[in-house]
Amino acid sequence: MEEKRIPLCSLTEGEVGRVCSITATEGLRRRLSDLGLVRGTMVENLCSGPFGGIAAYCVKGTVVALRRTDAGKVEVCVWD
Amino acid sequence: MGLTKQSMKYNGVPSKNAKNVLGLAGNPNVGKSTVFNALTGLKQHTGNWTGKTVSTAVGEYTYRGETYRLVDLPGIYSLLASSEEERVARDYLCFFPGQGVVVVADAVCLERNLNLVLQICEVRGDVVLCVNLLDEARKKGIEIDLDELSLQLGIPVVGAAARQGDGLMELKAQTAELCAGKIRTFCPKIPYGDAVENALSRLQVRIDALGPFPLPSRWIALRLLDSDPALRGTMTREWGIDLWEDRILRKELELLDLPRLGEQIAEGRICHAARIAEQCILFHCETYNRFDRKTDNVVLSRKFGIPILIGLLLLIFWLTVQGANLPSQWLSNLFSAGGTWLSGLFSAWNAPGWLSGILLDGVYRTLTWVVAVMLPPMAIFFPLFTLLEDLGYLPRVAFIMDPLCRHAGAHGKQALTTCMGFGCNACGVIGCRIIDSPRERLIGILTNSFIPCNGRFPFLLTLITVFFAGENSFAAALLLTACILFAVSISLLASKFLSVTLLKGVPSSFSLELPPYRVPQVGQVLVRSVLDRTLFVLGRAVLSAAPAGVLIWLMANVPVGDGTLLSLCTLALDPIAAVFGLDGVILMAFLLGFPANEIVLPLMLMGYLSTGTMVEAGDLTVLSQVLTDNGWTWVTAACCIVFSVCHFPCATTCRTIYKETGSLKKTLFAMAFPTAVGLLLCFLLARLG
């Protein structure tokens, strides 16, 4: 099994990853941690919206929508 | 939506030394307002989406002879606030003494909720946790060990299903104990790791020396580490000392890697929540949310997302148009019979002409028009809209619409405030508090009036039916949907315009929770939407229509020169109005309709009818006759529709904008901007037609 680090926004639908680092600035980082998104959290991409640019993720049993630009500032580890 | 008399009346927090005051806090959308309503018997508006309660509401309940006051706070994810409504809740939780706080948590996603519970436990020693929606959790195969949870958190825990009324008595009992001072909760320390703990103990020594402070020194030290600027301001104001300015503390802080420690604090808390969750929550069925996932995969998908959204709009409008036809006719028949009876009564009493003129032609006819035209569509549209809201579809609309908002330079949550605008623009404007960036919030406020509120809905619907769709209710629904899409596009284009000219900036980050789908409580939806919304809006319309009817009647009967005051005014306005495809009466109706948009159509009719033709309150064919007799064509109707969508907001909305922005200039701009857009579009339309 090979471990790969990719930005959260590159997760494909149905793919699961574990957050390994957050490069976002203070405000966004706070918002993400409020939703339970910190290092070590498992995230699943549920679906991307009709126009793209936003996607719904499953975090700790809740569904959270993030814009692509914001999700790009979270790095996740995935396994092939 | 959500403007009800109740939510307007009970605003305001009790004074700091009042007795038996309890705060009600929790994540957004966990059923706080349901708990609040169940305890206090009030009808605070509830709905399945984030950001519905933007200001605090206060209610009372009695338990064993004692009266308790409950403050319903806006939903928050953490005490690190960034938007206006979050700040309101945070300041209450940290700095308002009261007798305690009830934290409501969602049993279905308890682990995420624990993050906030832990934060509140760190600040206060008077917390009770209410784990709500236990029924839903049970259905999804989630079992929660409440005793273990209570042990782990060190606070009393009550299980509840507030919609069914379960667990409320126990909650009342616990809060009574809390108020009597019999419970002091003690939160076990959350371990944050060595680096943070070392820093904490050094800071705490100094804080203790400076103190005493009303809050635990460990909590103060934590806040120094994650350095929230908004909190610093409030702490300084509350305690009269700026800790960040203290020489020793500042020196300590300068030596630390604050961003790193802030991250570790957040991680430490979330890990602690996860550990507690592991010991207290049992998932019997791993695929408990399969239904939601499957539905979302269709509703939010690339292929079906937009068609479903438009299809739902169409369906709602079609049901409204189709269903409103017959009752509208019944009502107008009833009212015209009533009119005949009343005029018979007046002549039997030998009442003077001016009196029957004012009361019958002025007040009675205007009122019956308002009721006959507005009541049936509203009584159908509101419950349908409320059903969608309860189901949890609104945040999905925001999700689907977000790319459009992003391109318009607007905040993602503007889609939600737009939806609120369909109910009432004043609510939409207040709702903009959920947007944390001031620039984007202002964009949201300034463009909300482009969304036709329910006061304008019947007007649009009537004109569409009379001039474009005729008997075909499907065509009417189609055109109304097109009208809504037009309004939304104009509002987005206006946002785009503002974000590249006057309010330049980059879109800020945002996150949106998509709540689980919930089965709406049909009975309650019906009662609530008919009583709270329909009658509220209708009442407002009637209240402003009656004096307006009198005014118009007087204007039509005060002779000035050759004509009357009314004909003089409309004649004066005619040449200006003609440029924009309207006429003097229409323009005057819009101007006099400033107190409430609901009365624009009745005012127009009064204007036309008072100049000679006498018509009883009638159905749409009569209306069509009156309008075409006064020179209306489809271009006039189209211009009217456009101007109704794009014109100055009503008085209530203007007052709200002034309150929210605190600036007369911005309020005037909020009036001038849509009007200018509307006049421009009407001008073009009139030229084309």
Side-chain angles (χ1 to χ4, degrees):
Chain A
M1 238 177 23
E2 200 188 334
E3 194 183 286
K4 228 176 23 176
R5 290 167 80 115
I6 56 166
L8 180 57
C9 57
S10 309
L11 275 187
T12 52
E13 278 183 28
E15 205 177 1
V16 183
R18 182 189 287 277
V19 178
C20 48
S21 81
I22 296 178
T23 55
T25 49
E26 201 51 34
L28 177 59
R29 203 209 318 269
R30 229 167 240 177
R31 210 151 262 289
L32 293 175
S33 77
D34 285 353
L35 297 167
L37 253 173
V38 291
R39 277 189 312 166
T41 309
M42 300 294 288
V43 194
E44 180 190 347
N45 179 339
L46 295 176
C47 62
S48 310
F51 300 115
I54 189 168
Y57 301 95
C58 178
V59 181
K60 300 207 180 253
T62 58
V63 184
V64 175
L66 292 175
R67 280 181 180 171
R68 203 183 159 76
T69 41
D70 299 332
K73 291 167 188 150
V74 177
E75 215 178 26
V76 291
C77 301
V78 289
W79 300 268
D80 284 330
Chain B
M1 310 276 286
L3 180 78
T4 62
K5 259 178 277 178
Q6 283 82 0
S7 63
M8 302 287 283
K9 212 157 64 185
Y10 290 92
N11 279 348
V13 175
S15 73
K16 282 200 173 183
N17 41 25
K19 246 185 71 184
N20 292 347
V21 177
L22 293 155
L24 190 66
N27 278 187
N29 205 39
V30 294
K32 268 191 314 300
S33 296
T34 314
V35 172
F36 179 81
N37 291 344
L39 283 177
T40 61
L42 286 178
K43 291 188 215 77
Q44 176 81 324
H45 180 69
T46 61
N48 190 5
W49 53 290
T50 302
K52 165 197 58 60
T53 311
V54 285
S55 58
T56 53
V58 182
E60 285 183 355
Y61 66 90
T62 42
Y63 177 75
R64 296 202 172 156
E66 283 273 340
T67 304
Y68 298 89
R69 271 201 275 180
L70 198 61
V71 183
D72 188 14
L73 300 167
I76 47 171
Y77 288 109
S78 84
L79 293 180
L80 301 169
S82 41
S83 69
E84 188 57 36
E85 19 98 62
E86 290 172 336
R87 222 162 282 146
V88 170
R90 199 267 321 274
D91 285 351
Y92 182 97
L93 291 171
C94 296
F95 302 106
F96 190 89
Q99 273 66 46
V101 167
V102 178
V103 187
V104 183
D106 181 351
V108 181
C109 52
L110 187 60
E111 180 182 343
R112 213 272 316 278
N113 283 243
L114 284 178
N115 185 22
L116 177 70
V117 178
L118 287 172
Q119 288 188 46
I120 298 176
C121 287
E122 274 186 325
V123 195
R124 310 187 65 117
D126 48 7
V127 186
V128 171
L129 176 63
C130 168
V131 180
N132 192 22
L133 299 168
L134 270 185
D135 50 335
E136 230 174 275
R138 213 168 290 135
K139 258 185 239 156
K140 293 184 170 172
I142 302 169
E143 197 184 306
I144 291 162
D145 185 345
L146 296 173
D147 296 329
E148 179 64 26
L149 190 60
S150 169
L151 206 66
Q152 294 277 341
L153 290 168
I155 58 174
V157 175
V158 179
R163 293 214 288 189
Q164 277 71 40
D166 293 346
L168 293 173
M169 277 325 273
E170 199 192 336
L171 187 60
K172 280 186 183 175
Q174 289 288 0
T175 51
E177 298 261 292
L178 203 62
C179 286
K182 287 184 192 153
I183 304 176
R184 289 307 294 170
T185 58
F186 182 72
C187 174
K189 265 188 198 169
I190 302 168
Y192 288 113
D194 291 342
V196 177
E197 294 295 342
N198 283 341
L200 281 181
S201 54
R202 293 164 70 116
L203 293 174
Q204 264 177 277
V205 173
R206 178 63 188 157
I207 293 167
D208 285 334
L210 286 170
F213 295 102
L215 297 180
S217 56
R218 183 178 166 88
W219 184 82
I220 298 171
L222 280 166
R223 298 297 79 86
L224 284 170
L225 289 181
D226 56 28
S227 52
D228 181 353
L231 191 59
R232 176 180 175 178
T234 322
M235 273 158 91
T236 309
R237 214 171 37 248
E238 290 283 326
W239 300 338
I241 173 173
D242 187 354
L243 291 172
W244 279 262
E245 282 299 313
D246 181 70
R247 209 169 40 82
I248 298 176
L249 284 176
R250 209 167 58 189
K251 226 165 158 188
E252 291 278 0
L253 288 174
E254 271 163 13
L255 295 174
L256 299 167
D257 177 6
L258 290 179
R260 180 85 203 89
L261 291 176
E263 209 176 342
Q264 281 177 2
I265 292 172
E267 281 168 23
R269 207 184 316 110
I270 286 166
C271 287
H272 193 62
R275 272 194 300 273
I276 295 177
E278 212 170 284
Q279 291 175 51
C280 308
I281 309 173
L282 196 62
F283 293 92
H284 289 298
C285 159
E286 278 305 314
T287 52
Y288 64 92
N289 44 19
R290 207 175 54 195
F291 171 78
D292 278 17
R293 297 284 174 275
K294 278 197 167 158
T295 317
D296 273 343
N297 275 335
V298 179
V299 170
L300 303 179
S301 70
R302 225 167 267 262
K303 242 191 238 161
F304 301 112
I306 301 276
I308 288 179
L309 176 59
I310 293 179
L312 275 173
L313 268 181
L314 257 177
L315 179 71
I316 288 186
F317 291 145
W318 181 75
L319 287 172
T320 308
V321 179
Q322 186 73 2
N325 273 343
L326 262 185
S328 255
Q329 262 166 31
W330 292 338
L331 280 176
S332 54
N333 288 343
L334 183 76
F335 288 139
S336 81
T340 322
W341 181 74
L342 274 178
S343 72
L345 208 65
F346 272 101
S347 45
W349 282 343
N350 286 328
W354 60 267
L355 186 68
S356 72
I358 286 189
L359 290 183
L360 213 60
D361 297 341
V363 177
Y364 181 77
R365 201 187 301 145
T366 321
L367 286 188
T368 49
W369 267 110
V370 174
V371 176
V373 173
M374 289 182 59
L375 182 60
M378 283 198 316
I380 300 172
F381 176 77
F382 281 166
L384 289 176
F385 193 90
T386 317
L387 279 180
L388 272 193
E389 199 182 337
D390 260 29
L391 196 66
Y393 188 65
L394 286 197
R396 267 103 188 155
V397 174
F399 180 84
I400 294 168
M401 300 278 298
D402 178 69
L404 298 177
C405 287
R406 189 165 44 92
H407 286 303
H411 195 272
K413 285 184 183 164
Q414 195 173 312
L416 283 178
T417 59
T418 301
C419 288
M420 283 186 246
F422 281 118
C424 167
N425 292 131
C427 295
V429 168
I430 296 177
C432 286
R433 289 183 193 170
I434 59 176
I435 300 173
D436 47 5
S437 127
R439 180 187 74 91
E440 287 160 326
R441 183 175 163 204
L442 193 56
I443 292 181
I445 290 176
L446 294 180
T447 56
N448 198 274
S449 64
F450 285 110
I451 306 301
C453 63
N454 51 47
R456 289 183 263 172
F457 248 83
F459 179 74
L460 297 176
L461 188 62
T462 311
L463 288 194
I464 284 174
T465 320
V466 168
F467 280 91
F468 300 99
E471 293 287 297
N472 188 342
S473 48
F474 183 72
L478 204 65
L479 284 169
L480 196 54
T481 310
C483 221
I484 297 308
L485 294 181
F486 162 75
V488 172
S489 325
I490 287 284
S491 145
L492 285 172
L493 282 174
S495 306
K496 177 77 189 170
F497 171 77
L498 290 176
S499 71
V500 295
T501 54
L502 298 169
L503 296 165
K504 266 189 210 150
V506 280
S508 66
S509 66
F510 100 107
S511 55
L512 178 75
E513 200 184 336
L514 304 180
Y517 290 99
R518 284 186 191 140
V519 183
Q521 298 165 286
V522 179
Q524 222 192 328
V525 162
L526 277 177
V527 172
R528 209 174 56 211
S529 51
V530 170
L531 288 184
D532 286 3
R533 290 187 182 169
T534 311
L535 292 186
F536 176 67
V537 172
L538 196 70
R540 205 172 82 116
V542 165
L543 275 183
S544 38
V550 173
L551 182 70
I552 280 269
W553 188 89
L554 284 177
M555 282 173 77
N557 287 278
V558 172
V560 179
D562 295 336
T564 61
L565 188 58
L566 181 70
S567 62
L568 205 72
C569 287
T570 52
L571 276 178
L573 284 173
D574 259 337
I576 312 168
V579 180
F580 305 107
L582 308 169
D583 68 26
V585 174
I586 303 174
L587 207 53
M588 194 156 73
F590 272 109
L591 288 174
L592 290 177
F594 180 61
N597 278 305
E598 290 85 345
I599 59 170
V600 170
L601 186 62
L603 280 180
M604 263 178 215
L605 287 168
M606 289 299 300
Y608 290 133
L609 299 182
S610 57
T611 50
T613 8
M614 290 296 289
V615 175
E616 289 291 340
D619 55 14
L620 293 178
T621 33
V622 188
L623 179 68
S624 160
Q625 195 57 45
V626 175
L627 293 179
T628 38
D629 281 351
N630 282 283
W632 278 51
T633 61
W634 70 269
V635 183
T636 325
C639 285
C640 264
I641 290 174
V642 168
F643 195 63
S644 169
V645 170
C646 317
H647 74 290
F648 44 86
C650 73
T652 314
T653 311
C654 287
R655 207 165 51 229
T656 314
I657 294 175
Y658 179 68
K659 252 199 240 156
E660 293 295 302
T661 59
S663 146
L664 190 64
K665 223 169 71 188
K666 284 170 189 158
T667 313
L668 288 176
F669 182 79
M671 293 174 74
F673 180 51
T675 314
V677 172
L679 289 179
L680 181 70
L681 288 175
C682 284
F683 175 77
L684 294 175
L685 201 59
R687 291 291 87 76
L688 287 174

